[in-house]
Amino acid sequence: MLIERLKSIVGSKGWTQDASELEPHLTDWRNAVRGQTPIMLSPASTEEVSKLVRACADAAVAIVPQGGNTGMCAGAIPDASGKQVILNLARMNNIRTVDPLDFSMVVDAGCVLANIQQAARQVDRYFPLSLGAEGSCQIGGNISTNAGGINVIRYGTTRDLVLGLEVVLADGRIWNGIKTLRKDTAGYDLKQLFIGSEGTLGIITAAALRLFPDPGNATTTLIAIKNAGNAVPLLAKLRTSLADRIEAFELMGGNTLALVERHIPDSKIPFEESYPWYVLIEASVEGSPDVLVNALAHCLDKGLLLDAVVAKSKAEAARLWRLRHSIAEAEKREGVALKHDISVPIGRMEEFLARAEKLLREAFPESEQFVFGHVGDGNLHYNVHLQRASGDSEYEQKKARITALVYDLVAEFGGSFSAEHGIGSLKREFLSRYKDDTDLQLMRGMKKTLDPANILNPGKVI
Ligand code: FAD
Ligand code: 2HG
Ligand code: ZN
């Protein structure tokens, strides 16, 4: 009965029950989780989303919002019960308005991130959110996970780029918070509740986004460094010398880039010799490239860097960025990586890395760390590979102990066990372990208020 009602709301183009069409929507990008669903709904408008949610609320059936399904914590995958419906936003992909004078645009939630960047560029504006999955992730998914990516150091996380939202609430009401105001202190800032809530408090159907002047052709440089600790003073020096015009500052372990060379065709680290660590930077120094060259020379003199390659063309820059953006894919091809998307205070990064390495070497000598990430934001992907030498249960136990070791150390350093990927279903147990009781009580209270019947993405986050 409900299924027929849902089908009639979206019409024949808006649903599927076909097993092969459903297949890619039932498992996450990492193939860590597999779920089941009776139907996937693909509404074409906010009104359709509203009617679908009302119908599901009437029948007390759970809804799992899904964007590009590139999330790292399986938040967009239904559980195994076969009862939760998937609500996929892909058909809601209109750029509603782009206003270069207001430095803003309004887009449907299902717009693919790369298309949004392109639409901004067409009017000489810049939307800075950028990450490896930008060709397939959707802005609704980015907002729901408060995605980070490579440009946070200059422009902030997704939260800082959202001016307004339109959200369908758990009872089907449409909350219209689409505004492009920079200043608005009239009451609580409700949009903040939905940003980073991973589909558990409402379904985002549209967003007003903040645009920036196009920084033009930035200069891309790959720098070799001796140890990860040098990245921090290197960044400090470059930020001051370049008047903060660093757009991206990404750290990559030598073994991590070697993994990319091994698995990704036509990828090559552009140095004659191998170095222990690399930093990829993007600096908007168009018109005054000497500033960068001089700053790099100074860092060389101070022993902060070993070697550097400045991209001489857009194609060369793209090849360097391809190395960085292929890491997740290379790790996937290599096999199971224990992912730890952590953040620690930037000033204590070196100390954290030294302690973590020592603890892991002593307790799990057979493990290897693949460390990379957005070091300028204090956010590292501290991924650990463990050969499956032992039986299944021993292997699983070891994985859990490694994760506990990393997260306990992160907690000791006052960091976060989830810097930019969210909680989804994969990190729920850690939320209750590492969050304060008052945090958890407030979060549960919000969930109860906004979704009292628990139909929005149950089993995720909280
Ligand atoms: P999905 O995976 O479909 O969904 C993610 C969560 O949001 C789920 O809980 C889902 O229910 C919810 N959701 C989706 N759409 C909506 C909506 N409209 N309303 C309400 N809830 C919704 N992340 C980073 O932060 N930084 C990176 O650098 C980064 N790099 C990546 C590189 C690769 C190669 C890959 C595969 C992923 C990467 N990610 C990164 C993970 C990142 O979270 C996602 O790529 C992206 O933000 C998720 O968007 P999505 O549309 O795929 O969302
Ligand atoms: C990245 O920065 C993504 O490339 C993915 O956040 C991180 O695969 C990972 O661990
Ligand atoms: Zn990342």
Side-chain angles (χ1 to χ4, degrees):
M1 192 89 88
L2 170 71
I3 296 291
E4 292 315 311
R5 186 174 165 196
L6 296 173
K7 286 179 183 174
S8 74
I9 292 168
V10 288
S12 60
K13 286 188 187 152
W15 60 270
T16 183
Q17 292 181 302
D18 179 271
S20 61
E21 281 174 19
L22 286 176
E23 185 55 33
H25 301 275
L26 297 177
T27 165
D28 62 309
W29 188 82
R30 294 169 59 189
N31 294 321
V33 164
R34 195 184 156 73
Q36 293 297 337
T37 190
I39 190 165
M40 183 169 83
L41 303 158
S42 305
S45 67
T46 304
E47 288 66 34
E48 285 186 9
V49 175
S50 162
K51 286 180 189 163
L52 291 173
V53 174
R54 191 156 291 145
C56 288
D58 288 348
V61 163
I63 303 164
V64 181
Q66 190 174 82
N69 196 16
T70 67
M72 289 282 175
C73 299
I77 303 301
D79 68 14
S81 68
K83 292 183 178 154
Q84 303 185 330
V85 304
I86 297 177
L87 196 154
N88 186 293
L89 279 295
R91 285 178 72 218
M92 293 180 56
N93 58 6
N94 283 324
I95 307 269
R96 295 190 187 176
T97 56
V98 189
D99 186 341
L101 281 184
D102 191 47
F103 286 81
S104 69
M105 66 200 288
V106 178
V107 300
D108 282 354
C111 286
V112 169
L113 175 57
N115 296 341
I116 292 176
Q117 297 164 342
Q118 181 62 23
R121 241 176 260 127
Q122 274 165 5
V123 296
D124 198 26
R125 293 291 177 264
Y126 180 60
F127 184 62
L129 181 64
S130 174
L131 41 99
E134 63 197 23
S136 44
C137 62
Q138 299 172 8
I139 193 69
N142 302 143
I143 296 170
S144 301
T145 54
N146 185 24
I150 58 169
N151 290 328
V152 173
I153 186 170
R154 181 95 194 259
Y155 301 95
T157 61
T158 302
R159 185 181 299 283
D160 301 294
L161 306 173
V162 174
L163 295 170
L165 287 180
E166 177 188 86
V167 179
V168 171
L169 305 174
D171 57 6
R173 273 178 302 161
I174 300 169
W175 173 64
N176 183 357
I178 292 287
K179 288 177 187 166
T180 64
L181 301 175
R182 268 52 175 194
K183 297 181 99 174
D184 180 7
T185 52
Y188 302 141
D189 188 356
L190 294 175
K191 66 177 180 295
Q192 300 299 350
L193 279 180
F194 301 102
I195 302 172
S197 71
E198 301 180 58
T200 61
L201 300 181
I203 296 171
I204 297 168
T205 48
L209 304 173
R210 182 193 297 268
L211 300 180
F212 293 82
D214 193 331
N217 288 331
T219 303
T220 306
T221 310
L222 185 67
I223 297 173
I225 56 176
K226 195 162 159 203
N227 53 61
N230 278 354
V232 178
L234 179 66
L235 172 62
K237 172 67 192 154
L238 293 179
R239 283 186 82 167
T240 29
S241 299
L242 305 182
D244 227 3
R245 282 175 291 164
I246 300 285
E247 303 267 322
F249 192 91
E250 296 282 314
L251 178 73
M252 300 169 286
N255 63 343
T256 306
L257 274 197
L259 209 62
V260 173
E261 280 190 318
R262 192 151 80 237
H263 289 289
I264 308 293
D266 303 323
S267 61
K268 170 103 187 64
I269 307 171
F271 290 113
E272 300 273 295
E273 57 181 291
S274 316
Y275 291 107
W277 292 91
Y278 300 93
V279 175
L280 184 58
I281 66 165
E282 188 94 350
S284 53
V285 288
E286 212 176 11
S288 50
D290 289 354
V291 186
L292 176 64
V293 174
N294 292 342
L296 289 175
H298 176 87
C299 293
L300 188 65
D301 287 346
K302 292 259 170 220
L304 287 178
L305 64 85
L306 302 172
D307 206 346
V309 169
V310 181
K312 288 183 207 66
S313 64
K314 273 192 176 174
E316 231 173 86
R319 273 199 293 278
L320 292 179
W321 275 107
R322 184 165 173 267
L323 285 173
R324 165 62 185 92
H325 284 316
S326 300
I327 296 175
E329 179 63 35
E331 270 201 319
K332 189 166 145 179
R333 292 184 194 185
E334 174 76 4
V336 179
L338 269 175
K339 287 193 186 290
H340 305 108
D341 164 38
I342 56 139
S343 61
V344 293
I346 300 174
R348 298 191 68 195
M349 184 93 70
E350 184 174 13
E351 191 191 345
F352 171 84
L353 285 169
R355 285 272 305 281
E357 204 213 326
K358 182 167 184 289
L359 288 173
L360 281 170
R361 201 179 338 108
E362 284 166 6
F364 305 95
E366 70 279 37
S367 69
E368 185 176 2
Q369 296 90 272
F370 288 79
V371 182
F372 61 101
H374 322 287
V375 69
D377 316 317
N379 174 195
L380 294 176
H381 298 303
Y382 197 91
N383 297 346
V384 182
H385 295 204
L386 183 69
Q387 299 306 327
R388 187 192 279 269
S390 40
D392 266 2
S393 73
E394 201 187 324
Y395 176 71
E396 291 305 322
Q397 277 174 17
K398 262 193 193 172
K399 283 193 339 192
R401 279 165 46 216
I402 289 175
T403 294
L405 183 155
V406 174
Y407 287 169
D408 283 353
L409 192 65
V410 167
E412 190 189 315
F413 275 69
S416 170
F417 69 92
S418 181
E420 60 168 7
H421 293 163
I423 301 296
S425 58
L426 295 181
K427 292 195 195 155
R428 249 167 40 128
E429 60 172 299
F430 304 113
L431 193 76
S432 37
R433 180 149 11 132
Y434 294 104
K435 277 271 179 189
D436 183 85
D437 278 349
T438 314
D439 278 292
L440 291 168
Q441 281 158 17
L442 288 171
M443 285 175 72
R444 288 195 190 105
M446 281 176 205
K447 175 72 175 167
K448 264 218 161 81
T449 303
L450 284 162
D451 181 21
N454 195 22
I455 64 158
L456 293 179
N457 219 359
K460 310 290 164 46
V461 185
I462 189 96

